[in-house]
Each structure stands twice: as C-alpha cells, then as structure tokens.
Amino acid sequence: MIRARWTERHTFAAVALAYALATILGRATVLPGEHVSLAWPAAGIGVLWLMYSAQWGAALTVQAVELALVLLATGATPLLAVSGTLAMTIQSALVVILIRRWIPEALGAGGTQSIHSLPVLARGTMTVAIGCLVGAAIGTTGLWLETGAVTWRDGLLWFGQQFGSIMLVGSVGHLTWERLVQPHAARRPASSRSELALLWLASGLVYGVVFLLPLPLAYAAIPLSIWCGVRFSTYAAAVHAGTFGGVALALTLAGRGPFSLIQDPATAALLTQAFVLVALFTALVVGTVCDQREDVLARLTSSEATAAARARLLAAMTEAMTEGLVVVDATGQVVTINGAARRLLERTSMHGSGNTAAYQLLRADGSPLPRDEHPSRRALAEGDVAPHDVVVPLENGRQRVVSVRATSLPEGTESADGRAALVVYRDVTSERAEARRLAEFAEVTAHELRSPLTTVRGWVSLASQELSGDVPSVAQARDLLGKALTGVVRLGDLLDGMLDQALAEGGELDLEPLEMAGPAGLIADLGELLAVPDITVRGPEGAIVLGDEWSVRQLFANLLGNSVKYVSPDRPLRVDVDLEVRGRRVLVGVTDNGRGIPEGEHESVFDRFSRADSAGSTVGTGIGLSICRLVVERHGGTIRSSVGQGGVGTTFTFDLPAYLPAPAGVSAG
C-alpha cells in the first residue's frame, strides 16, 4: 500500500513537471508582438492528465496554477494570464467530461476500448473539437479585452494549436496507456523489425528532403503514414506520425521546409499543424481499419474453431448413438450416415450403396415397400413421418425389424436442390420379439390360471349342490371339497412359481461364496429339507460356487424337488450330484432314477409352463425348470437335460462361477 501511494504521488509529480515544461515550450513559440503561441503541446498533456488521474480535482487545480504562473513569468498581462488559464482549464475539463459522457466504453472513461474503433475515434475527435472551440472563444475574448482587436487568424491559430496538440499528444498517450494496461495482439502476418527499421529510415530521408529543401513536397510524406498504418499497429502508426509531425513543426518554426515559403509565420505554423493532422488521421484511420479487420479475422477464426469443435463433438455424439441417422437428399442420395446406420444398413442387399433406392425395405407384413413410400421421400413430401416399423432383410437371409421416423430438414443442406430429409433407424428386433414373448406368456398364463380356477369352480359347485340336499352325504361332500382344495393349492403353486420366476429374472444378484459339497453344504441341506431319501454328493472341497444364495438354492431346490415329485413307482429314489471344478467354472451334474423325460422333450422342458408327458397333466406348474434356466444363464452358464445313466431317469448338466480365493500374500483388491 505504501509503495502504491508512493508511485501514485511520484507519477502525479512527474506529469505536473511535464505539463509545466510543455507550457514553457509553448510560450517560447510566441512571435514578437503577438499574443498567441504557434504550438501548444501542454493541451494534450492536460487532457491525458485529467483522463487517467485518480485525483481529478487536484490535477485540474495544479494545471491552472502552473499555467497562470508560467504565463505571468513569460510576460503575459494579468488579464491574458487569467483568460488563458480559464480558457485552457475549461477546455481540458470539457473534453474529458464529454468523453466520459459520450464515449463511456473508452479507456479512461470506465471502459476498455481505444481509438482502434472508428466510432470511438470519430466521437473522440468531435469532443476535442467542441472543447477547443469553447477554449478558443474564451481565449480570444480575453485577447479582445486586452488589445481591443482580434482577427480571424488569431482565433483559427488558437483553435488549431490546441486541437492539433490534443489530437497528436492525446492519441499517442492514449495508445501508450492502453499498451501498458491491456494485452494486445500482433498483426497477422506479423511485420518484422527490419521492416519497421526500414520504414523509419525511409521516413527520416523523406522528411529530411521535404523539410530541409524549400520545395512544395509535403504530400510525399503521406504514403509513409499509410505504410505504417497498414503494416504495423495503430500505436506504431500514431508514434510514427507524432514523431515526424513534431519534427516537421519544429523545422517549420525554424524557417525550413515547404511551409516556410509562406511569409506569415503564424499561417505557416497553422498549415504545418494541418499537415501533421492529415498525416496523423491518415495513420490512425488506416491503422484502425486494419485493427478492426484483424479483430474480425480473429473472431472469425475463433468462431470457425468453435464451430469445428462443435462439429467434432456432434460427430462424436452421432457416432456414439445407437440409433442410425441418415441424411438423404431429394434424389435419394445419402449425404451423411452415422456408424449405427452404416452397421445396420450395409448388411443389406445394397452393399454399401450411396442411394436409398438400393435399400430393400419391407412392410411389417413382409410385402415390399414401394420407392415412393420410403421414409425420406415421404418426409420431403409431408414434412414429418411418424415412427413405424419396417423390415430390413439381411444378406444372410435373416431379417431385422426397424422402427423408422423421418423429418424434412431446413433448406441449405448440401444437396442438389437444397432439400434433404433426416431418417432415424432404430433396431427393435429384440423389443418386438420380447413383446411377442410377453404376449405369448400372458396368453399361456391366462390359460394355465383358467384351468385350476375352472376346476375349483366345478368342484365347489358340485359340493354346494350335495350340501343343499335334505340328507347330505358328508363323505361325498368332503371328497368334492378336497378336489377343490387341490385346485386351489395348484393355483397357489402356480402363482408362487410365477413370482419365483420374476425374482429369478429381474432380481439383483448378490454374489457370495457358497459351499456345495460336504455335510454342511447347500445341497445336503436342501436334500434334508425336501426329504430326498438317498442323495449322494461327489466333489472336491474346493467346489465352492460364487453366486447369489437365493437363486442358487432355488435352482437346486427345483431340481431336487422334481426328483422327488417324479419318482418312479418301480424303484426307490436315488439322486447323485457330481461337482467338478474346471478353470473358473464349477460343472454340476444332477442325476435321478425317476420317470425321466420322453425323447424329444429335453429342450422344451425349460420353456414356461412346459411339462413332460410322463409327468401327467396335473403334476407341477411347468415353471420350475424355466426358473432353473434363468438362474444358470444369469450366472453366465448353460443348462441342458439328457437321459440318465443306463437310460433311467434324467441328468441335468450346468455350470456356475467358481469361487477362486486370492493366493496367500496377494490382496484380493
């Protein structure tokens, strides 16, 4: 904080000193017998001081005091000192006030812009002109009160030297301040330092020839300002114009150069300042236009980079989509296609053709889809096409069911006539197959539920009729109600089986090590619960399954329960369970000596509500083995059935994940 205050105070003092020296320099250009200076560099310093000073009132006060003291010390009368001080103080304050009001976006007025912008340059020039007109009016009024006569030359000279000073010193100072406090971008392509050195060398030679020889060649210096404005920054152009403009004015005041040919020194100085302003404005306008061009190019480049990045993101998102996207023009030509559509459609008979006319599409009923009914052509004619199913025949003879929707795109797409349509393909083969399976499941479920309900209703009706007689037969009624109860029990078993199947199919698996063999193993426990009279489990101690306990218990419970349920009347039940660890899987074989499964039904027994003919139509619900297949498949395995040993009974063979503990000393993570 102390260093900041120190820097601010010393900066204030340095600017005050520069203002005093510039005032003394301006008073040195007053011709004998005249009252108006030929040049006044302090005007530009005064405006910059007020623009960037945090102590606005103090700066204005110090300016007025310094100016009055210098005027009095250099021979001005008290009236001229007062009027001159008042004119230039009001002039500086008015210029700054107008800039802050009319150009709030400018640097020093609360914004960040500078004269790189043509509107800022134009409005800034206008505010300086207004301030200088007011200052000239006050100054020449004081001069008239002092001398009793004022010529147009006095007023024009006063305005010219103030306006030229503020524009020249103010422009260079403003751009210098901007360069110090704000980052700046180099021109593209960047100009070399050797070219800049060549420019200054050429400028020195040209200005030397123009202002050292008494020839009217001032116009020859203007192209140098253009060169600098085109090839270098506006800041460099302003410094160049300001430097050589000051040299031109100094040589003119010394009686050299083309303007020294004019007999009146005041007119010569005025014309020199006009020349300097022309060179300055040429440099500023050309530099500003080039800067704006660079700014537009930078924004365009940034926009192109942003658009390219968004296009890459959109392309990546499109490629990652599971839906196929195809943009088709009015001729049927494919404009754009994403990976999902390519993978789906290039397997058809079109062989990667770029025209949708080569696609073979079928209606849902299998009939060919006419070309005019292709979704892209309908979209171009109708605007939007609602989702509907079509069939895509593949080269391997199979078919895919695809849901298609389409919409017309805005004009301007890269196509022959600017019209195009977006077609979205979504493979719904699995969804439609699942829907059919659900419909079949609902149909079979309704049929299976209707049978026990009909049985219950019939037996209960008969029992009701028997009990309604005068002398009911208790034994007969009991028999009828028992049959009804059997139907109810069967219905309950069916509902329990359906619930178990739903849990096996959609429940979350909680995998844990499950001991299979041994007296405390899961199989022996289930054999005891299900009252299996003779069960043998053969397998190593390491036959541990990594599975969901509820699901695996349901699997073995169904298999062992079927063994008990379908026991042969000719022999006592015996069940053998064989376990074998193979790599990361445990192979399981469950063999019984029961009734067995008829030939040709070993696969269908795993379907819902399927019962083998040997089981009898009233035994079981037909869901147990379906649950077994679900459990095995959800654990990554397969299950099959075959005839048992010696052609007796049934053998179920399946595999489950093996639990493989980490070796000693190795972390399980």
Side-chain angles (χ1 to χ4, degrees), residues 287-410:
T288 297
V289 170
C290 291
D291 284 347
Q292 289 185 328
R293 181 198 63 187
E294 292 296 321
D295 185 54
V296 170
L297 288 175
R299 288 201 301 268
L300 180 60
T301 303
S302 177
S303 298
E304 289 178 347
T306 302
R310 290 178 178 174
R312 290 193 296 271
L313 176 61
L314 180 60
M317 293 171 60
T318 303
E319 285 296 315
M321 293 178 64
T322 56
E323 291 85 359
L325 304 180
V326 183
V327 177
V328 185
D329 65 14
T331 65
Q333 199 71 21
V334 174
V335 178
T336 303
I337 182 170
N338 75 337
R342 194 179 303 110
R343 289 188 294 271
L344 172 66
L345 300 178
E346 286 185 353
R347 291 183 291 163
T348 68
S349 58
M350 68 170 291
H351 299 288
S353 171
N355 196 298
T356 55
Y359 288 96
Q360 183 183 2
L361 300 180
L362 307 177
R363 293 191 179 98
D365 60 4
S367 61
L369 186 70
R371 183 170 179 266
D372 290 340
E373 293 186 19
H374 192 280
S376 63
R377 298 184 68 85
R378 287 182 57 195
L380 290 173
E382 304 169 15
D384 291 312
V385 178
H388 62 284
D389 287 356
V390 296
V391 177
V392 179
L394 304 183
E395 291 181 316
N396 58 11
R398 297 183 180 181
Q399 293 182 340
R400 306 299 293 177
V401 181
V402 179
S403 176
V404 183
R405 67 180 185 273
T407 184
S408 61
L409 297 176

Side-chain angles (χ1 to χ4, degrees), residues 118-136:
L118 281 177
V120 172
L121 176 61
R123 281 179 285 169
T125 303
M126 183 174 64
T127 59
V128 173
I130 293 173
C132 291
L133 283 173
V134 173

Side-chain angles (χ1 to χ4, degrees), residues 487-660:
V488 173
V489 171
R490 183 184 172 194
L491 179 60
D493 291 342
L494 180 61
L495 293 176
D496 289 342
M498 292 173 62
L499 178 60
D500 289 340
Q501 186 177 36
L503 291 174
E505 187 171 9
E508 184 177 353
L509 298 181
D510 184 12
L511 302 181
E512 57 181 301
L514 303 173
E515 179 70 47
M516 295 286 106
L522 182 145
I523 299 174
D525 180 49
L526 286 174
E528 183 178 349
L529 289 175
L530 298 173
V532 181
D534 184 7
I535 181 170
T536 302
V537 181
R538 293 186 291 267
E541 294 183 0
I544 301 177
V545 168
L546 182 65
D548 179 76
E549 182 176 5
W550 183 91
S551 300
V552 174
R553 290 182 71 89
Q554 190 74 19
L555 165 65
F556 282 96
N558 286 343
L559 294 177
L560 297 178
N562 281 351
S563 299
V564 175
K565 190 182 302 180
Y566 303 124
V567 64
S568 173
D570 302 330
R571 49 189 173 272
L573 176 63
R574 187 186 74 253
V575 179
D576 295 323
V577 180
D578 295 293
L579 304 171
E580 180 184 355
V581 179
R582 254 186 220 178
R584 295 181 175 274
R585 309 293 295 180
V586 175
L587 304 185
V588 183
V590 179
T591 304
D592 63 38
N593 61 349
R595 302 181 200 177
I597 298 174
E599 189 67 29
E601 297 185 25
H602 285 93
E603 279 296 321
S604 62
V605 292
F606 294 105
D607 296 336
R608 293 188 184 101
F609 306 117
S610 175
R611 290 186 294 272
D613 289 342
S614 62
S617 60
T618 60
V619 179
T621 61
I623 295 180
L625 291 180
S626 175
I627 294 175
C628 292
R629 182 170 63 181
L630 279 173
V631 171
V632 172
E633 289 180 349
R634 292 199 67 194
H635 283 78
T638 58
I639 185 171
R640 63 185 181 88
S641 66
S642 59
V643 179
Q645 297 177 358
V648 177
T650 305
T651 296
F652 291 94
T653 306
F654 55 93
D655 61 297
L656 296 170
Y659 172 69
L660 302 175

Side-chain angles (χ1 to χ4, degrees), residues 91-121:
Q91 171 183 285
S92 299
L94 181 60
V95 169
V96 174
I97 291 172
L98 291 179
I99 288 176
R100 291 180 176 177
R101 179 178 294 272
W102 291 350
I103 323 175
E105 69 273 20
L107 185 65
T112 59
Q113 294 189 21
S114 70
I115 54 178
H116 296 291
S117 168
L118 281 177
V120 172
L121 176 61

